[in-house]
Amino acid sequence: MSDIGKVRLRVPSSIKAGDVVQVRALVIHPMERIERDAQGKIVQKNYNYINKVIVTYLGKTVATFDTTQNVAENPFFTFTFKATDPGQLKVQFLDTTGGRYEGIADIKFS
Amino acid sequence: MTEDHRISRRTALITLSALGVAAAGGLAAMPGTAWAQALGQNESVEDAMKRLFGGKPMRDGAASVKLDVPLIAENGAVVPISVSVDSPMTPTNYVKHIYVVADKNRIPVVTRVTLSPEAGRAFMGANIRLGESGDVRAIVEQSDGSLLAVKREVKVTVGGCGG
């Protein structure tokens, strides 16, 4: 799938200074599940799934998600942050194969 | 796949992920990465709870923790869940971690969210997988170390964890 790693961030259209803003972040990712062989034994391999999501705002970490394979395919995460100054909101997704995908939203006040 | 091929691949992956973490500006320390791998283990829910929290007492968090998950999940592969906690989120009193644990999943720990006071509100949402009907728990660890737990039963029509 060539779409792997596509990140979409959804930020409210109008933000006022001091607001607590709720953001939805979506990433296209297969989040491979555990496979079993015919005997029911777990196949040992390096499964490709996202195990860390890091949210930074103005260079400071706001929230991190440590995830396991129990998160659905094309995972979507919701979180909040307090908008104090205009600046950059960055969401990074790290997967077990070393992949690193990121989405950036510019926070502006209106 | 031959044995040495696998090892070289793993070494390469470890190196890559280390680079990725370094590139993230040292935001995620390496122990964190190791933790994340240990987070998802094939174990029973009791073992998982013991491993994560030891014997720490847990209070019922029904008054301040809101766990939002459907009562009936038709498709276990995608179950929306959200947890919000009544917390002032000041630097001295905030919610440090929110854990989501699905009792019946083969890997019971679903996610661990680490929050900072800058989050403004103790809230997390995600789409998770549920293997079969059972309890879903949210465990909240506050900055003073106290634990609050809530759980709800979810009925799953079609399991979503595959093998």
Side-chain angles (χ1 to χ4, degrees):
Chain A
M1 219 163 63
S2 61
D3 280 347
I4 287 185
K6 237 192 211 167
V7 180
R8 235 172 284 154
L9 295 184
R10 234 160 137 194
V11 184
S13 51
S14 99
I15 301 170
K16 288 191 206 69
D19 276 4
V20 173
V21 183
Q22 187 169 325
V23 182
R24 306 211 295 163
L26 178 105
V27 61
I28 305 296
H29 199 279
M31 297 295 283
E32 284 178 344
R33 303 167 197 204
I34 286 179
E35 285 163 30
R36 273 158 202 270
D37 60 19
Q39 283 82 46
K41 263 182 66 187
I42 295 169
V43 180
Q44 293 293 342
K45 64 165 190 166
N46 186 30
Y47 291 100
N48 182 11
Y49 63 94
I50 288 168
N51 60 2
K52 204 162 186 78
V53 184
I54 304 167
V55 182
T56 50
Y57 170 57
L58 305 173
K60 270 172 95 179
T61 308
V62 175
T64 45
F65 290 71
D66 292 295
T67 55
T68 61
Q69 280 154 304
N70 284 334
V71 173
E73 193 174 334
N74 300 336
F76 121 83
F77 300 96
T78 319
F79 54 86
T80 59
F81 74 97
K82 198 164 184 191
T84 47
D85 295 288
Q88 210 178 52
L89 177 79
K90 195 157 94 175
V91 183
Q92 297 176 77
F93 298 88
L94 310 177
D95 73 17
T96 48
T97 58
R100 186 161 155 266
Y101 319 107
E102 60 178 44
I104 290 173
D106 276 316
I107 305 299
K108 286 191 222 85
F109 296 133
S110 51
Chain B
M1 198 190 281
T2 60
E3 191 59 34
D4 54 352
H5 175 61
R6 188 157 65 188
I7 286 164
S8 69
R9 190 177 122 117
R10 181 168 303 155
T11 320
L13 292 174
I14 289 166
T15 320
L16 269 174
S17 64
L19 281 173
V21 168
L27 291 168
M30 273 316 273
T33 320
W35 226 101
Q37 270 146 14
L39 199 64
Q41 279 179 16
N42 209 1
E43 62 193 350
S44 75
V45 65
E46 287 80 20
D47 289 347
M49 302 296 261
K50 215 186 278 170
R51 188 164 54 85
L52 292 179
F53 309 111
K56 270 212 236 167
M58 255 179 232
R59 281 186 295 139
D60 181 29
S64 57
V65 183
K66 194 165 158 269
L67 170 64
D68 204 358
V69 60
L71 282 175
I72 297 171
E74 281 184 19
N75 179 5
V78 185
V79 183
I81 182 170
S82 74
V83 180
S84 68
V85 190
D86 228 355
S87 164
M89 294 304 269
T90 56
T92 48
N93 180 6
Y94 64 99
V95 171
K96 213 158 80 183
H97 294 303
I98 299 175
Y99 295 83
V100 177
V101 178
D103 282 23
K104 289 288 169 66
N105 282 11
R106 287 197 178 88
I107 301 171
V109 184
V110 177
T111 176
R112 177 184 61 163
V113 188
T114 310
L115 295 173
S116 72
E118 282 82 23
R121 198 154 71 85
F123 175 84
M124 64 77 64
N127 281 349
I128 64 166
R129 286 176 178 147
L130 293 175
E132 51 187 291
S133 302
D135 284 342
V136 174
R137 314 185 191 201
I139 293 147
V140 174
E141 186 180 342
Q142 288 174 302
S143 50
D144 61 6
S146 63
L147 298 170
L148 296 172
V150 284
K151 63 176 173 184
R152 254 175 84 180
E153 200 191 347
V154 179
K155 289 201 161 46
V156 178
T157 316
V158 182
C161 276

